[in-house]
Amino acid sequence: TTDNYTNTESSAASDVYKRQVLDEKAVAYLNTDGNSRGFASVGGSHTLEPFFNEVLKAVEDPQTGVSVDERLRARIQVDGPPERRDALAVRKDLRISPLGSGSDYTPFLQHAGIASANMAFGGEASDGSYHTLYDTYEHFSRFRDPGFAYGVALADLAGTATLRLANAPVLPFRFAGLADNLTQYLTEIEKLADDAREEARRTNRMLEEGVYALALDPSKRLGAPAEVPEVPHFSFAPLMNAIDRVSASARTLDAALAGLDGTEDVDLAALNVRLYQSERALSRKDGLPGRDWYRHQIYAPGFYTGYGVKTLPRVREAIEAELYDQVDDEIAFTAGVLDAFADYLDGTLAFIE
């Protein structure tokens, strides 16, 4: 932005102004924080997942000469987790990982609702030097990235993404991939609840049968656990229905966007604002329970996990914290966010039609 602002009366007013400028004009925040030799890694907003898949195809891996996309796919086939290997066969795009915290993207994504991404290479260099006396130029140049080849590749990756975003007649935000990832997150949460219910029953059954008393060393002070609260069955139907709405609206909008080449009688400036502010539509000013600074309702660092991400955090963390009387309310709240997001996508489609 070229805006200049001098505020001699209040730094708070200056902060508000800066936030307003970001909210009105920031398309995306691209971040790098650490790099080494190996395979491309991208985490970020799933509204940009198809875009980054195209960027990965355009960047050459310095060791093999193929695209970093092709090399990453080969890595997944050889030793990726089963779910990622299976996804290669049924999904056009590689999944990018959701972002929790741990770097400069946090205030942009989690607080301001600005679509963000974090990029790096790694997997073929030894770690262990982070924030130590051994985190030196010599260590990096000998062990992390000899010849700085992957530093150049990272600059190529970040630079290609920046230039394509800056020069796109229609910004490359797409939404079907987000809906697909939301479906996966809900499946994970359903399994979380089922596993917690079964584990509670197993623990309580062993308590009733005296299994702990027989298994524990009677000479030690360690005793049996307390009885575990029963885990009720939750109705995830509101979330399922909301995600279905997002999926349908996303497919329709993505198809309409794919047909644009910049020559149509469409107000592209207004359309682009709708596209890049779509991430804001997934945030709420009241924030998350117990931490209102974190406003994004799809991605958040875990309350107790530090950097680690929690997706659909209201519902997931209510179950993990055994706040079972709050789960239905959190399901309803999150479903409301997604229903409103589907409305936002439908409203964006109107700019094309």
Side-chain angles (χ1 to χ4, degrees), residues 32-342:
T32 64
D33 182 10
N35 197 54
S36 65
R37 187 169 63 89
F39 303 90
S41 171
V42 178
S45 304
H46 289 94
T47 51
L48 291 174
E49 185 175 76
F51 167 69
F52 274 103
N53 270 263
E54 293 303 314
V55 172
L56 290 171
K57 293 181 176 71
V59 176
E60 182 178 295
D61 176 73
Q63 291 185 131
T64 63
V66 303
S67 71
V68 295
D69 170 83
E70 186 175 349
R71 187 155 196 249
L72 180 56
R73 288 175 183 270
R75 167 75 177 280
I76 294 170
Q77 289 183 63
V78 171
D79 62 1
E83 61 274 13
R84 293 197 73 189
R85 294 200 304 267
D86 294 343
L88 289 178
V90 299
R91 207 170 187 271
K92 173 188 173 184
D93 289 334
L94 293 170
R95 293 190 192 276
I96 65 174
S97 57
L99 291 177
S101 187
S103 192
D104 297 336
Y105 54 76
T106 301
F108 292 90
L109 178 63
Q110 313 292 359
H111 182 69
I114 295 168
S116 301
N118 188 57
M119 296 162 281
F121 286 88
E124 291 186 332
S126 58
D127 293 320
S129 63
Y130 187 59
H131 287 183
T132 74
L133 291 175
Y134 301 98
D135 193 3
T136 63
Y137 173 87
E138 181 183 13
H139 182 274
F140 190 91
S141 60
R142 289 183 61 189
F143 302 108
R144 301 282 293 174
D145 185 14
F148 303 104
Y150 280 94
V152 174
L154 180 61
D156 193 357
L157 183 66
T160 299
T162 301
L163 289 171
R164 290 190 179 189
L165 281 168
N167 292 284
V170 180
L171 286 171
F173 287 77
R174 300 296 183 267
F175 304 97
L178 169 64
D180 178 61
N181 280 284
L182 288 171
T183 299
Q184 175 178 278
Y185 300 150
L186 178 55
T187 300
E188 292 171 358
I189 291 174
E190 290 178 294
K191 184 177 186 302
L192 172 69
D194 290 341
D195 289 348
R197 189 177 304 109
E198 180 56 35
E199 183 61 23
R201 289 171 177 169
R202 176 176 175 273
T203 299
N204 291 337
R205 184 172 61 250
M206 288 193 294
L207 286 169
E208 291 174 4
E209 297 173 355
V211 173
Y212 284 104
L214 296 176
L216 292 172
D217 185 344
S219 68
K220 306 291 185 178
R221 298 186 64 182
L222 181 65
E227 184 177 358
V228 180
E230 290 290 332
V231 181
H233 290 274
F234 308 108
S235 174
F236 294 102
L239 264 179
M240 294 177 184
N241 292 330
I243 291 173
D244 283 348
R245 276 203 64 205
V246 171
S247 182
S249 297
R251 288 194 303 269
T252 304
L253 178 56
D254 285 359
L257 290 168
L260 294 178
D261 60 12
T263 63
E264 296 81 6
D265 185 18
V266 174
D267 186 346
L268 292 182
L271 174 62
N272 281 330
V273 171
R274 290 286 298 188
L275 292 174
Y276 73 70
Q277 290 193 342
S278 59
E279 200 80 25
R280 291 21 158 212
L282 294 168
S283 300
R284 291 295 180 271
K285 288 186 178 180
D286 292 340
L288 297 174
R291 42 183 179 152
D292 56 7
W293 188 87
Y294 293 92
R295 296 178 172 181
H296 208 292
Q297 302 297 308
I298 308 302
Y299 320 113
F303 198 95
Y304 295 108
T305 58
Y307 292 175
V309 65
K310 297 292 183 180
T311 52
L312 301 176
R314 284 176 171 268
V315 181
R316 188 184 295 268
E317 293 195 299
I319 295 173
E320 290 178 341
E322 299 181 2
L323 302 173
Y324 300 135
D325 59 332
Q326 299 179 20
V327 173
D328 287 339
D329 288 342
E330 301 299 0
I331 289 173
F333 186 97
T334 306
V337 171
L338 295 177
D339 276 325
F341 186 69

